Each structure stands twice: as C-alpha cells, then as structure tokens.
Amino acid sequence: MSDVRIAPIAETLPEFLEKHQFSAVAVLVDYHTQKFCYPLVKNWLSKHTIIRIKAGEEYKHLHTCETIWEALTNANFDRHGLLLNLGGGVIGDMGGFCAATYKRGIAFAQIPTTLLAQVDASVGGKLGIDFHGFKNHIGVFKLPETVLIDPVFLQTLPERELRSGFAEVIKHCLIADAAKWDEIRRRDLTEQNLSELVAHSVAVKQRVVEQDPTEKGLRKILNFGHTLGHAVETYFLAQPRKRLLHGEAIAVGMVTEAFLAHQKKMIDATLLAEIEEYIFSVYGKVNLTGADVEPIVALTLQDKKNQGKQVRMALLDGPGRCAFDIPVTRAEMRQALDYYRG
Amino acid sequence: MSDVRIAPIAETLPEFLEKHQFSAVAVLVDYHTQKFCYPLVKNWLSKHTIIRIKAGEEYKHLHTCETIWEALTNANFDRHGLLLNLGGGVIGDMGGFCAATYKRGIAFAQIPTTLLAQVDASVGGKLGIDFHGFKNHIGVFKLPETVLIDPVFLQTLPERELRSGFAEVIKHCLIADAAKWDEIRRRDLTEQNLSELVAHSVAVKQRVVEQDPTEKGLRKILNFGHTLGHAVETYFLAQPRKRLLHGEAIAVGMVTEAFLAHQKKMIDATLLAEIEEYIFSVYGKVNLTGADVEPIVALTLQDKKNQGKQVRMALLDGPGRCAFDIPVTRAEMRQALDYYRG
C-alpha cells in the first residue's frame, strides 16, 4: 500500500525527498497548478525540471504523453529520477502512467491539488489516459512512492471544482459508512469539514484497495455511480457547451444507479429518496433529453468492469453497503435515465 | 516466474487454453508469421481476431500500438481477453506492452517464432517500444501468462535470422556457463543442437530473472554486449542499407565489451582471443569507419542502466562469469571501437 500523508507540504515534501536519493526531479504541472500550487512546492526542491501540459480531460491522451516522455528524455532522466505530479486527476493519472512506462518505470509521487484527486484519484494506483473517447482505456496499476495531501490546496479551487470532488466523498459514505452519510446529508457543501472528510475518504478507499488492488472483486464497489456516470461524462465530452465535470456526471450516475438498486429491491424507497434529494440539492439536475438516452446506454458497453457484452454494476445494498457485478440490462438503464429525466 | 513450455505447440496451446477461460482471443502477427507460423497455430483456436502489423523494428513504435489498441477496442475486448503474440521480439515486446496497458492490463501469451525471441525476448517480462530512436524507451515489466516455445518454428527462419538469435545463446554461455561456451565455440552454427541450446538459454535467463525481476542488480548481467551493441544497432537503424539485425549488433557489442573487460584486467588475453575469433567466424566484421565512432559512443548515454551521466556496463569477469555496474568512460569506449575496427 502506498504511503499517504495528510499534512502541510512544507513538512511532508522535504521529509520524503530526504529519505530517497533521486538522481533528478521533474514537476508536472498545468497552467493553473503552475500558477497557484507550484509556488507552495518549489521552495522544497533543489534543481528540477518543470514539465507543463495543457489543463483538462481533453488533453489526457497519448499525444500529451509523448510530450511528457520527450521532456524526460531531453532532461536525460535515468531510472533513478522522480516525477512529482502536481495537480488534479488528469495530472496524476497521466503523469503516473508516463512515469510507470518511461524506461519501464521510474518513481513518481502524487501531490493532488483538487478535492477530487485528494479523495479519489491519488489513492489506489489506477493510472491511465483516455483513448478514442474511452475514459482511462490505456493504463496500468502502479502505486506511487508516496501521496502528499495538503488541504491548503483546496483553497485555490473554484467552487465548481470543489463541488465536483465532493461527489466522491458522498460515494465513499454511501458505499461504506451509513453513519457518515447521515451526517453529511444534513449539511450543505459549505458547512462540511473538508479536512476531516478527506481523511475519511482516503481511509475508506485505502481499506478497499488494500484488499483487492487490481479490481478482481471488492474494489469494484468504488465504481458505484460510475457506470452510467462515466457514460454521461463521455457523452457530454463531445459537446463543449454541455460538458460536465467528473463529479457532476457521477452525481447523475449515483441517482440513476440508486434507482436501479431500488428496482432490484437492494435499497428501500427512503434511502433512494434521501440520495435523490441531497444530490439534487447540491448538484441540481442535468438536462437530459430523450435523444440523449440511447447513446449514453451504448457507451456503458465499453465499461472496463463488464464481462463480454453484459454490463455489470456496483449497486448499493443498503445504507453504507455496496454489492458488485450485478448484471443490468439496456432496458433497465434506459428506465433509470428516464426516471432521472422525469 | 512465468511458465515456459518447450514442446510442440499442438500439445501446449490447447492445454493452456483449456486451463483458462478467456472471454476472447486475438492473435498478433506480421506478414511473415501470418504466412509461416499462423497455420501451425490456428487449428487450436476457436473464434479469434487476427491483428496484423507491419514487420520489423522500424514499426515498433507508438503508432503501431495505437493500431493494436484500436483493434482490441473494435473487437470489444474486455479485461478477460487474451492476446497471443505470435512472432519475434518486436511482436512479443510490443504486443505484450499493448496487452499490459489495454484497460490496465489483459492476459497475454508469448509464442516466440525466432531463435532470438525464444532464447531471450520471450522470457523475463521486459516489454516495450522504441521512442524517438531510443530502443525500448517506453515500456513496463510484466510477465506473460505463459511462453510456448516450439523449435519447429525455427525451420521457418531465414539463415540470417537464426544467426542473429544465436548471439544471445553465445551471450548466455559467456556470462553463466564456461563449459557450455567451450562446447559451442568448437562448432559452427550449422553444427549446433539448437533445441538443446534453446532450453539452456531459457534456463540461464530464468535463473537470473527470478533473482532480480526488475533489474535492480544481478539481472544487469544479461546486458553484456548490449551497451555498445544497442548503440551500434540504433546508429545503423537510420541507415537502411547498413541496418543490422539485433544479434549482429550484439556481436559487435560482445567483442568491444570483451576488450573493455580485458583492459580492466577482468578477463585474460586467451578468453578475449577466443571470443573475437569465434564471433568473427560466425558474424564476420561490421564495417565501422572512424566517423562512426563518436555518434555510437554518444548513443550509449541513453542506456537505461546508466546512473546520471555515467555509462555503466555488464562486463565479463572470467569465463562463465559477469559483473555489472562497471563505470566506463567515453575515451574507453572510443578505444574499444577503434580496437574492433583495427
């Protein structure tokens, strides 16, 4: 299991660098993290290379990887170098993938700067990039040397980004901690204790990943909300004006998949109503038309958790509990999306 | 350690497929292996997809990977599929890399069809592709589900290919088995018992790799002949008419690096003379001009075994013995290449 530290970066970063002897250090940033986060990090680094890529999921592809590999090559990076991924999920997933494949693998560390990356992407070793419109289609499992989480970075985030990351916090409560769900659902986002919730989410995720690092079984519960959620996210990726942030799409996924769990008598009407009400209060309702339903359902066929042509989902199995590998038909998915629209 | 079987494919392939339940099978071939090797394999497969790529090291790059990933995506391959890599080192290294990264990793099996791939590339889990002219610059370590070696495929090989693969057989004897070296050096290539030598080479390589799978130490001895050898190979890659096969370049590497070992008093003049004499008798002498020396030396700087800007080599340390991480200067490398030319 990788070492996750939740503490000021001024404490954890120098400590980490001192413990290892890296032959070189590069920092991967985008425009935003170079401006807002890099100043908090650079003081603790000696000589290093900055690799800057364009911000956003639409650049999480092979071509950007080539840029990163080229930069490492030009800096004469050997196998004993370190890549510090300073940013959100895109930076962490793609930087991690590039490090894991450069000269068959160099060390990398994650410094997640968004709420989403702190509570989800940085923990668990899933690395990858999108390919031909499919999310995280090419990648590997590999744990970073360390994950350094500093809540101070959350202050640099726009409110919409924070809200997006909060969807994974909600998910972790729903699948693993009924009492915590009961606590958060009574408060608006602005009233939450985020530092405490980050630690809670990381603990839930680590506990699950530790038992099943390569997602053969249990780890699949972390995908609650993500089968339809990913499909919705991918679908709107092609429509710049309607594009959703990851958590906004997952919010749609959690409502529709909670509906499916209720249909399959896995959760009662009270829990479904609670989930709907809270998620709509935080995220509002995404405008889905009848014409959107079929292409979204079709996109679920490429989900990595499927077996053959059968879509399988992680569905809630009571408050704070989740089951996985539940077969769901296309008709059921259509019904769930229509329910969301109604 | 991956399971390596040396036996007729008609025996090993059906047995392997029966033991596993793959949701789909794809076979990666090039023009040559589709024509000469695929007929020996297809009878043992039920429904499967053929993925054909162009033959040769010059296509071992990211763009060909995209073709392979696309083909797997179009065939709706899920995580429970199998990719069978039917071919030489390029097919095995690149197909393995694509399988190891498709949806964060699907199963793959190596069916090496060249001597080089049977005695070297298919064993040990080094996967990768060339990048910007650097050999195997992007890749991962991952073991295949199985390696199925059938000596019958060697009959499909042109003599020059066989000779190229034989360089790795020579290497395995030189670094690990003085008695076997003494045996093979008294015979021409055509007089060797190849089936027996394939088994010998696989055993040597597995023994080394098992002790150090990710090349932190001991495994580096397998790189004897490869620091200058790779540089020579890369150098001539850009000159189509002078292009060398891998083993032909490694033959140059073994002579020049044996010279360096002698200079450093690690081997005596007798062993150096034996190596020179035998390698020249099998491979002849590559025509290197004075102008070739400097660019070849410069290329060794990108070797993955280096630390910082210091080139480190695996050098013979007596008959059947090899040391690693020996620092070598640019002047020494120039001297070795001049010695070879002399």
Side-chain angles (χ1 to χ4, degrees):
Chain A
M1 195 162 73
S2 57
D3 172 56
V4 181
R5 300 283 314 276
I6 307 180
I9 204 81
E11 219 173 87
T12 55
L13 182 58
E15 203 178 279
F16 168 71
L17 292 170
E18 223 161 83
K19 222 174 65 187
H20 296 77
Q21 294 300 322
F22 298 110
S23 60
V25 175
V27 187
L28 184 67
V29 295
D30 61 27
Y31 172 81
H32 304 292
T33 63
Q34 185 172 28
K35 186 164 170 191
F36 297 111
C37 307
Y38 176 67
L40 293 156
V41 164
K42 70 172 176 190
N43 293 338
W44 316 108
L45 302 173
S46 50
K47 189 164 168 274
H48 59 278
T49 304
I50 295 181
I51 305 175
R52 191 171 104 180
I53 58 175
K54 289 189 178 156
E57 180 86 22
E58 63 270 40
Y59 297 104
K60 190 179 174 184
H61 53 43
L62 217 48
H63 188 68
T64 312
C65 291
E66 290 185 73
T67 310
I68 298 169
W69 287 323
E70 261 169 43
L72 294 170
T73 307
N74 293 340
N76 272 312
F77 246 60
D78 68 20
R79 278 191 186 162
H80 307 273
L82 171 77
L83 183 63
L84 270 180
N85 298 313
L86 183 67
V90 171
I91 293 265
D93 287 6
M94 183 159 49
F97 176 67
C98 288
T101 51
Y102 178 78
K103 296 194 178 188
R104 296 200 194 89
I106 62 170
F108 63 101
Q110 309 292 47
I111 306 184
T113 59
T114 64
L115 179 56
L116 182 60
Q118 292 192 348
V119 298
D120 186 21
S122 66
V123 179
K126 278 194 182 181
L127 310 172
I129 51 167
D130 303 339
F131 182 74
H132 288 220
F134 298 111
K135 278 185 63 75
N136 302 318
H137 201 59
I138 303 303
V140 293
F141 286 98
K142 190 174 179 186
L143 291 175
E145 292 297 312
T146 190
V147 183
L148 307 180
I149 296 178
D150 186 343
V152 77
F153 289 121
L154 301 182
Q155 296 167 15
T156 67
L157 288 183
E159 195 268 345
R160 190 180 168 195
E161 271 290 346
L162 208 62
R163 195 170 295 273
S164 168
F166 187 57
E168 299 288 348
V169 173
I170 296 173
K171 181 195 77 180
H172 286 133
C173 296
L174 283 172
I175 62 172
D177 192 337
K180 192 60 98 182
W181 162 242
D182 223 47
E183 199 183 306
I184 64 166
R185 77 183 178 83
R186 295 167 197 280
R187 296 184 191 150
D188 184 36
L189 173 58
T190 55
E191 300 160 343
Q192 308 285 352
N193 179 344
L194 284 183
S195 288
E196 190 232 290
L197 288 177
V198 166
H200 176 266
S201 271
V202 166
V204 167
K205 183 155 185 188
Q206 281 202 298
R207 207 166 59 223
V208 172
V209 169
E210 202 180 357
Q211 293 173 66
D212 175 26
T214 58
E215 199 169 290
K216 307 273 185 238
L218 180 70
R219 183 169 180 165
K220 295 178 190 177
I221 68 170
L222 297 172
N223 291 300
F224 165 60
H226 282 61
T227 308
L228 281 162
H230 266 169
V232 166
E233 185 181 5
T234 303
Y235 179 65
F236 285 117
L237 210 57
Q239 304 174 43
R241 274 186 307 178
K242 297 187 77 180
R243 195 170 291 172
L244 297 175
L245 294 181
H246 178 71
E248 293 167 343
I250 296 315
V252 179
M254 287 194 287
V255 171
T256 48
E257 296 182 16
F259 169 82
L260 289 167
H262 177 58
Q263 288 291 99
K264 291 176 184 290
K265 304 196 184 347
M266 298 167 72
I267 65 171
D268 62 22
T270 314
L271 182 55
L272 174 60
E274 275 176 24
I275 294 172
E276 254 184 74
E277 191 189 337
Y278 189 60
I279 287 184
F280 286 144
S281 82
V282 176
Y283 297 94
K285 197 165 171 173
V286 173
N287 183 26
L288 292 183
T289 69
D292 298 330
V293 171
E294 202 50 49
I296 290 172
V297 169
L299 280 167
T300 61
L301 270 180
Q302 269 298 331
D303 191 273
K304 285 186 281 297
K305 295 173 301 301
N306 298 344
Q307 197 139 15
K309 288 185 174 56
Q310 174 70 74
V311 172
R312 293 176 180 220
M313 290 193 191
L315 294 181
L316 294 181
D317 195 22
R321 287 212 316 267
C322 192
F324 55 88
D325 278 347
I326 313 292
V328 176
T329 66
R330 296 175 71 120
E332 289 171 322
M333 287 191 276
R334 273 192 290 268
Q335 206 189 341
L337 288 163
D338 285 337
Y339 174 81
Y340 181 93
R341 296 173 53 231
Chain B
M1 196 161 72
S2 56
D3 171 55
V4 180
R5 300 284 314 275
I6 306 180
I9 203 83
E11 219 172 86
T12 55
L13 183 57
E15 202 177 279
F16 167 71
L17 291 171
E18 225 161 80
K19 222 174 64 188
H20 296 78
Q21 294 299 322
F22 297 110
S23 62
V25 175
V27 188
L28 184 67
V29 295
D30 61 27
Y31 173 82
H32 304 291
T33 63
Q34 184 172 29
K35 187 164 171 191
F36 297 111
C37 307
Y38 176 67
L40 292 156
V41 164
K42 69 172 176 191
N43 293 337
W44 316 108
L45 302 173
S46 49
K47 188 164 168 275
H48 60 279
T49 304
I50 296 181
I51 305 175
R52 191 170 105 179
I53 57 174
K54 289 187 178 160
E57 180 86 22
E58 64 269 41
Y59 297 104
K60 190 180 174 183
H61 53 43
L62 216 48
H63 189 67
T64 312
C65 291
E66 289 185 73
T67 310
I68 298 169
W69 287 322
E70 260 169 43
L72 293 171
T73 307
N74 294 340
N76 272 313
F77 247 60
D78 68 19
R79 277 191 187 161
H80 307 274
L82 171 77
L83 183 64
L84 269 180
N85 298 313
L86 182 67
V90 172
I91 293 264
D93 287 7
M94 185 159 48
F97 176 66
C98 287
T101 51
Y102 179 78
K103 295 193 179 188
R104 296 202 194 89
I106 61 170
F108 63 101
Q110 309 292 46
I111 306 185
T113 58
T114 64
L115 180 56
L116 181 60
Q118 293 191 348
V119 299
D120 187 21
S122 65
V123 179
K126 277 193 183 182
L127 310 172
I129 52 168
D130 302 339
F131 183 74
H132 288 220
F134 298 112
K135 278 184 63 74
N136 302 319
H137 201 59
I138 303 302
V140 293
F141 287 99
K142 190 175 178 185
L143 292 175
E145 292 297 312
T146 191
V147 183
L148 307 180
I149 295 178
D150 187 343
V152 78
F153 289 121
L154 302 182
Q155 296 167 17
T156 68
L157 287 184
E159 196 267 346
R160 189 180 169 197
E161 271 289 344
L162 208 61
R163 195 169 295 272
S164 168
F166 188 58
E168 299 288 348
V169 173
I170 297 174
K171 181 196 77 180
H172 287 133
C173 296
L174 283 172
I175 62 170
D177 192 338
K180 192 59 96 183
W181 162 243
D182 223 48
E183 199 182 307
I184 64 166
R185 75 182 177 83
R186 295 167 198 279
R187 297 182 190 150
D188 185 34
L189 173 58
T190 55
E191 301 161 342
Q192 307 284 352
N193 178 344
L194 285 184
S195 288
E196 189 231 290
L197 288 177
V198 166
H200 177 264
S201 269
V202 167
V204 167
K205 184 155 184 189
Q206 280 203 299
R207 206 165 60 224
V208 172
V209 169
E210 202 180 356
Q211 292 173 67
D212 174 26
T214 58
E215 198 168 291
K216 306 270 185 239
L218 180 71
R219 182 170 181 163
K220 295 180 189 176
I221 68 170
L222 296 172
N223 291 300
F224 165 60
H226 281 61
T227 307
L228 281 162
H230 266 169
V232 166
E233 186 181 5
T234 302
Y235 179 65
F236 286 117
L237 209 57
Q239 303 174 44
R241 276 186 305 178
K242 297 186 77 179
R243 196 170 290 172
L244 298 175
L245 294 182
H246 178 70
E248 294 168 342
I250 296 315
V252 180
M254 287 193 286
V255 171
T256 47
E257 296 182 16
F259 169 83
L260 289 168
H262 177 59
Q263 288 291 99
K264 290 174 185 292
K265 304 196 182 350
M266 296 166 72
I267 65 171
D268 62 21
T270 314
L271 182 55
L272 174 60
E274 275 176 24
I275 293 172
E276 254 184 75
E277 190 188 336
Y278 188 60
I279 286 184
F280 285 144
S281 81
V282 176
Y283 297 94
K285 197 166 173 174
V286 172
N287 182 26
L288 291 182
T289 69
D292 298 330
V293 170
E294 202 51 46
I296 291 171
V297 168
L299 281 166
T300 62
L301 270 181
Q302 268 299 331
D303 191 90
K304 283 185 281 298
K305 296 174 298 302
N306 298 344
Q307 196 141 15
K309 289 185 172 55
Q310 173 70 72
V311 172
R312 293 175 181 222
M313 289 192 192
L315 294 181
L316 295 180
D317 194 21
R321 287 211 316 266
C322 191
F324 56 89
D325 277 347
I326 312 291
V328 175
T329 65
R330 296 175 69 120
E332 288 170 323
M333 289 191 275
R334 274 192 290 267
Q335 206 189 341
L337 288 163
D338 285 336
Y339 174 80
Y340 181 92
R341 295 172 55 230

Short mmCIF file of all heavy atoms in Angstrom, two decimals, chain B residues 151-176:
data_model
loop_
_atom_site.label_atom_id
_atom_site.label_comp_id
_atom_site.label_asym_id
_atom_site.label_seq_id
_atom_site.Cartn_x
_atom_site.Cartn_y
_atom_site.Cartn_z
N PRO B 151 10.34 -25.56 -31.12
CA PRO B 151 11.50 -25.46 -32.01
C PRO B 151 11.15 -25.59 -33.49
O PRO B 151 11.93 -25.18 -34.35
CB PRO B 151 12.40 -26.62 -31.54
CG PRO B 151 11.97 -26.90 -30.13
CD PRO B 151 10.51 -26.61 -30.09
N VAL B 152 9.97 -26.11 -33.79
CA VAL B 152 9.59 -26.27 -35.20
C VAL B 152 9.56 -24.93 -35.93
O VAL B 152 9.84 -24.85 -37.13
CB VAL B 152 8.23 -27.01 -35.32
CG1 VAL B 152 7.07 -26.06 -35.04
CG2 VAL B 152 8.07 -27.63 -36.70
N PHE B 153 9.26 -23.87 -35.20
CA PHE B 153 9.19 -22.55 -35.84
C PHE B 153 10.55 -22.11 -36.39
O PHE B 153 10.62 -21.32 -37.32
CB PHE B 153 8.67 -21.49 -34.86
CG PHE B 153 7.22 -21.63 -34.54
CD1 PHE B 153 6.80 -21.82 -33.23
CD2 PHE B 153 6.25 -21.56 -35.53
CE1 PHE B 153 5.45 -21.93 -32.92
CE2 PHE B 153 4.90 -21.69 -35.23
CZ PHE B 153 4.50 -21.88 -33.92
N LEU B 154 11.62 -22.64 -35.79
CA LEU B 154 12.96 -22.23 -36.24
C LEU B 154 13.20 -22.63 -37.70
O LEU B 154 13.99 -22.01 -38.40
CB LEU B 154 14.04 -22.81 -35.33
CG LEU B 154 13.92 -22.41 -33.85
CD1 LEU B 154 15.07 -23.01 -33.05
CD2 LEU B 154 13.89 -20.89 -33.69
N GLN B 155 12.49 -23.66 -38.14
CA GLN B 155 12.64 -24.11 -39.53
C GLN B 155 12.08 -23.09 -40.52
O GLN B 155 12.35 -23.17 -41.72
CB GLN B 155 11.95 -25.46 -39.72
CG GLN B 155 12.61 -26.56 -38.90
CD GLN B 155 11.75 -27.83 -38.84
OE1 GLN B 155 10.84 -28.00 -39.64
NE2 GLN B 155 12.06 -28.71 -37.90
N THR B 156 11.24 -22.17 -40.02
CA THR B 156 10.66 -21.18 -40.92
C THR B 156 11.57 -19.96 -41.10
O THR B 156 11.27 -19.06 -41.86
CB THR B 156 9.29 -20.67 -40.39
OG1 THR B 156 9.53 -19.90 -39.18
CG2 THR B 156 8.35 -21.81 -40.06
N LEU B 157 12.70 -19.97 -40.37
CA LEU B 157 13.54 -18.77 -40.34
C LEU B 157 14.60 -18.71 -41.44
O LEU B 157 15.24 -19.71 -41.74
CB LEU B 157 14.30 -18.71 -39.02
CG LEU B 157 13.54 -18.37 -37.76
CD1 LEU B 157 14.53 -18.29 -36.61
CD2 LEU B 157 12.79 -17.07 -37.92
N PRO B 158 14.83 -17.54 -42.01
CA PRO B 158 15.98 -17.35 -42.89
C PRO B 158 17.26 -17.54 -42.06
O PRO B 158 17.27 -17.27 -40.86
CB PRO B 158 15.88 -15.90 -43.35
CG PRO B 158 14.58 -15.38 -42.87
CD PRO B 158 14.03 -16.32 -41.85
N GLU B 159 18.32 -17.97 -42.71
CA GLU B 159 19.56 -18.27 -42.01
C GLU B 159 20.12 -17.04 -41.27
O GLU B 159 20.66 -17.16 -40.18
CB GLU B 159 20.59 -18.80 -43.04
CG GLU B 159 21.79 -19.49 -42.45
CD GLU B 159 22.94 -18.52 -42.27
OE1 GLU B 159 22.86 -17.42 -42.85
OE2 GLU B 159 23.89 -18.86 -41.54
N ARG B 160 19.94 -15.85 -41.86
CA ARG B 160 20.48 -14.65 -41.21
C ARG B 160 19.78 -14.37 -39.88
O ARG B 160 20.40 -13.91 -38.91
CB ARG B 160 20.31 -13.45 -42.16
CG ARG B 160 21.03 -12.20 -41.66
CD ARG B 160 20.88 -11.00 -42.58
NE ARG B 160 21.37 -9.80 -41.91
CZ ARG B 160 21.09 -8.56 -42.31
NH1 ARG B 160 20.37 -8.34 -43.39
NH2 ARG B 160 21.56 -7.54 -41.63
N GLU B 161 18.47 -14.65 -39.82
CA GLU B 161 17.69 -14.50 -38.59
C GLU B 161 18.18 -15.46 -37.51
O GLU B 161 18.30 -15.10 -36.34
CB GLU B 161 16.21 -14.83 -38.86
CG GLU B 161 15.37 -13.66 -39.31
CD GLU B 161 15.12 -12.66 -38.19
OE1 GLU B 161 15.35 -12.99 -37.02
OE2 GLU B 161 14.74 -11.53 -38.52
N LEU B 162 18.44 -16.69 -37.92
CA LEU B 162 18.91 -17.72 -36.99
C LEU B 162 20.24 -17.30 -36.40
O LEU B 162 20.48 -17.39 -35.19
CB LEU B 162 19.07 -19.03 -37.77
CG LEU B 162 18.91 -20.34 -37.00
CD1 LEU B 162 17.51 -20.45 -36.41
CD2 LEU B 162 19.17 -21.52 -37.93
N ARG B 163 21.12 -16.81 -37.28
CA ARG B 163 22.45 -16.36 -36.86
C ARG B 163 22.33 -15.20 -35.86
O ARG B 163 23.06 -15.14 -34.87
CB ARG B 163 23.20 -15.90 -38.12
CG ARG B 163 24.69 -15.73 -37.98
CD ARG B 163 25.33 -15.53 -39.37
NE ARG B 163 25.19 -16.73 -40.19
CZ ARG B 163 26.07 -17.73 -40.20
NH1 ARG B 163 27.16 -17.68 -39.45
NH2 ARG B 163 25.87 -18.78 -40.96
N SER B 164 21.39 -14.31 -36.12
CA SER B 164 21.19 -13.18 -35.22
C SER B 164 20.80 -13.67 -33.82
O SER B 164 21.36 -13.27 -32.80
CB SER B 164 20.11 -12.25 -35.79
OG SER B 164 19.70 -11.31 -34.83
N GLY B 165 19.83 -14.59 -33.77
CA GLY B 165 19.39 -15.11 -32.47
C GLY B 165 20.49 -15.84 -31.72
O GLY B 165 20.55 -15.83 -30.49
N PHE B 166 21.38 -16.46 -32.49
CA PHE B 166 22.46 -17.24 -31.88
C PHE B 166 23.37 -16.36 -31.02
O PHE B 166 24.03 -16.86 -30.09
CB PHE B 166 23.24 -17.94 -33.00
CG PHE B 166 24.25 -18.93 -32.51
CD1 PHE B 166 23.89 -20.00 -31.71
CD2 PHE B 166 25.60 -18.78 -32.86
CE1 PHE B 166 24.85 -20.91 -31.25
CE2 PHE B 166 26.55 -19.69 -32.41
CZ PHE B 166 26.18 -20.75 -31.61
N ALA B 167 23.41 -15.06 -31.28
CA ALA B 167 24.25 -14.17 -30.48
C ALA B 167 23.84 -14.20 -29.00
O ALA B 167 24.69 -14.15 -28.11
CB ALA B 167 24.16 -12.73 -31.01
N GLU B 168 22.54 -14.33 -28.74
CA GLU B 168 22.10 -14.37 -27.34
C GLU B 168 22.45 -15.72 -26.70
O GLU B 168 22.69 -15.80 -25.50
CB GLU B 168 20.59 -14.10 -27.22
CG GLU B 168 20.16 -12.72 -27.73
CD GLU B 168 20.57 -11.55 -26.82
OE1 GLU B 168 21.00 -11.79 -25.68
OE2 GLU B 168 20.47 -10.40 -27.28
N VAL B 169 22.48 -16.76 -27.51
CA VAL B 169 22.92 -18.07 -26.99
C VAL B 169 24.38 -17.96 -26.56
O VAL B 169 24.77 -18.40 -25.46
CB VAL B 169 22.75 -19.17 -28.07
CG1 VAL B 169 23.37 -20.49 -27.59
CG2 VAL B 169 21.28 -19.34 -28.44
N ILE B 170 25.20 -17.38 -27.43
CA ILE B 170 26.62 -17.17 -27.10
C ILE B 170 26.74 -16.36 -25.80
O ILE B 170 27.49 -16.71 -24.90
CB ILE B 170 27.34 -16.42 -28.25
CG1 ILE B 170 27.33 -17.26 -29.54
CG2 ILE B 170 28.77 -16.05 -27.84
CD1 ILE B 170 27.89 -16.53 -30.77
N LYS B 171 25.96 -15.30 -25.71
CA LYS B 171 25.99 -14.44 -24.52
C LYS B 171 25.68 -15.22 -23.25
O LYS B 171 26.39 -15.12 -22.24
CB LYS B 171 24.99 -13.28 -24.67
CG LYS B 171 24.99 -12.33 -23.50
CD LYS B 171 23.76 -11.42 -23.49
CE LYS B 171 22.53 -12.18 -22.98
NZ LYS B 171 21.32 -11.34 -22.96
N HIS B 172 24.61 -16.03 -23.30
CA HIS B 172 24.23 -16.79 -22.10
C HIS B 172 25.35 -17.74 -21.67
O HIS B 172 25.57 -17.94 -20.47
CB HIS B 172 22.92 -17.54 -22.33
CG HIS B 172 21.71 -16.64 -22.35
ND1 HIS B 172 20.74 -16.71 -23.32
CD2 HIS B 172 21.34 -15.64 -21.52
CE1 HIS B 172 19.81 -15.79 -23.09
NE2 HIS B 172 20.16 -15.12 -22.01
N CYS B 173 26.05 -18.34 -22.63
CA CYS B 173 27.17 -19.21 -22.27
C CYS B 173 28.30 -18.39 -21.66
O CYS B 173 28.86 -18.75 -20.61
CB CYS B 173 27.68 -19.95 -23.51
SG CYS B 173 26.46 -21.06 -24.22
N LEU B 174 28.63 -17.26 -22.28
CA LEU B 174 29.76 -16.46 -21.80
C LEU B 174 29.54 -15.93 -20.39
O LEU B 174 30.47 -15.89 -19.58
CB LEU B 174 30.02 -15.28 -22.76
CG LEU B 174 30.76 -15.63 -24.06
CD1 LEU B 174 30.77 -14.42 -25.01
CD2 LEU B 174 32.19 -16.09 -23.78
N ILE B 175 28.33 -15.52 -20.07
CA ILE B 175 28.10 -14.91 -18.74
C ILE B 175 27.82 -15.93 -17.65
O ILE B 175 27.92 -15.62 -16.46
CB ILE B 175 26.94 -13.88 -18.75
CG1 ILE B 175 25.60 -14.55 -19.11
CG2 ILE B 175 27.23 -12.72 -19.69
CD1 ILE B 175 24.38 -13.65 -18.91
N ALA B 176 27.46 -17.19 -18.05
CA ALA B 176 26.96 -18.08 -16.98
C ALA B 176 27.42 -19.53 -17.06
O ALA B 176 27.15 -20.31 -16.15
CB ALA B 176 25.43 -18.05 -16.96
#
